[in-house]
Amino acid sequence: VVGIEAVLLMLTTSSPGGSYSNWWCFIFNADLALSVAMTTVSSIASVFMLPLNLAIYLNATGAEGIDVAYGPLTIAVAVVVTGIASGMLVSHHLPSKRHVFHTSANVAGLSLIALGMASTSGSRDGLFNQPWTFFAGVAAPCVLGLVASFTLSRLTGLSKPQCVSVGIETCYQNTALALSVALASPAPARAAAVPVFYQAVQVVVLAIFSITSWKTGWTYAPSNISLWRMIVTNYQPFFVAETEMVTKELEKTRAEIKAAEQIISTSTRKNNSLATASGSGGSGSGG
């Protein structure tokens, strides 16, 4: 992978994960809190680190001849981070509208991916006319990054669900940022091929990794349940703790209601007995 493709690959792999990495951790019940924390930190740091990484790696690989407009690139990253921060702020103050924001963001993201696919698939220099070395080179950071981060996180003593989250966060990149830069480059078909193919690779790799982690007991979800139940059920510790607390409160309330019903029932029976005894005594006196 050389030239503009190398620049876009470095841009893709240096981008923050974005909210979809949190979605993967939530769906497959990895450590969601760690995932959100990593996404927040990487999104803020990317404003400064992404251009710096490009400068370091391009210089280290002898690619000084490749002209990178760092000013517009920094602005593009800042816009992404600002969008994430604004979305979190608005979502916090307008919780009833979260589904609207979420749907709008999904439509925008999918539209950008579709635009990138259309741009690179119909060109002679596009995705489907690249040599095998291109596909191997673009896929390598995704696979090797996942294996390395997962292994290192386990060696440092993180829990199994946390290791899965670290692997997902390292592997998953916000390809929309690289794709937006690629579409504005002088060779959009060649450039867009990198984030489009990386997007496909990370989806396949993360699906295999996440399902394998779940079935081998590395997530919060039980490994002996069905795939559908695992996906639709939230097994995050904080949610389970809240659920258990609510369940205990409900059981306590039911016990109190049952005790109150027994007291009322006992009181009713006593009143009925007294009324019967009073009625019998009155009839005897009348005779």
Side-chain angles (χ1 to χ4, degrees):
V1 181
V2 296
I4 188 65
E5 291 92 340
V7 175
L8 264 297
L9 181 58
M10 284 187 284
L11 177 58
T12 300
T13 54
S14 298
S15 297
S19 60
Y20 276 109
S21 59
N22 308 146
W23 179 85
W24 280 96
C25 292
F26 175 75
I27 289 295
F28 289 95
N29 289 281
D31 196 300
L32 182 59
L34 178 60
S35 175
V36 173
M38 291 181 67
T39 298
T40 303
V41 173
S42 66
S43 297
I44 297 173
S46 65
V47 177
F48 311 100
M49 293 306 300
L50 199 157
L52 180 60
N53 281 340
L54 281 178
I56 292 173
Y57 291 131
L58 288 176
N59 182 65
T61 55
E64 296 91 346
I66 300 176
D67 185 22
V68 179
Y70 291 104
L73 177 60
T74 303
I75 294 175
V77 178
V79 168
V80 172
V81 175
T82 302
I84 293 173
S86 301
M88 295 176 65
L89 182 63
V90 174
S91 178
H92 174 72
H93 289 286
L94 298 174
S96 62
K97 301 295 183 180
R98 286 176 183 172
H99 66 285
V100 176
F101 304 140
H102 186 265
T103 303
S104 301
N106 284 336
V107 171
L110 292 175
S111 299
L112 183 60
I113 293 174
L115 181 61
M117 176 63 74
S119 175
T120 189
S121 60
S123 172
R124 182 177 58 184
D125 297 328
L127 176 62
F128 299 110
N129 293 308
Q130 298 293 333
W132 70 268
T133 53
F134 167 85
F135 297 104
V138 173
C142 180
V143 177
L144 296 179
L146 174 61
V147 173
S149 61
F150 181 78
T151 303
L152 290 174
S153 60
R154 189 54 178 168
L155 291 176
T156 56
L158 295 182
S159 65
K160 291 181 177 180
Q162 288 177 332
C163 292
V164 176
S165 291
V166 171
I168 291 174
E169 285 290 332
T170 304
C171 174
Y172 194 89
Q173 306 298 330
N174 184 0
T175 56
L177 177 60
L179 191 54
S180 62
V181 174
L183 294 175
S185 69
R190 287 174 51 201
V194 175
V196 168
F197 181 65
Y198 190 95
Q199 176 68 29
V201 170
Q202 69 182 1
V203 168
V204 174
V205 169
L206 284 180
I208 296 173
F209 171 70
S210 300
I211 293 176
T212 302
S213 299
W214 159 55
K215 293 304 292 184
T216 53
W218 281 71
T219 68
Y220 290 123
S223 59
N224 58 347
I225 60 177
S226 66
L227 177 63
W228 174 251
R229 183 178 178 186
M230 183 273 296
I231 291 177
V232 301
T233 305
N234 189 349
Y235 290 98
Q236 296 296 322
F238 64 87
F239 182 82
V240 172
E242 289 182 357
T243 303
E244 290 178 350
M245 182 179 66
V246 171
T247 301
K248 290 180 180 179
E249 289 295 327
L250 288 174
E251 291 177 350
K252 181 180 177 180
T253 302
R254 290 193 187 100
E256 291 175 351
I257 292 174
K258 186 175 181 180
E261 290 176 343
Q262 290 177 347
I263 293 174
I264 293 172
S265 177
T266 302
S267 176
T268 302
R269 286 198 300 269
K270 287 182 177 180
N271 290 335
N272 290 338
S273 299
L274 290 174
T276 302
S278 176
S280 299
S283 298
S285 301

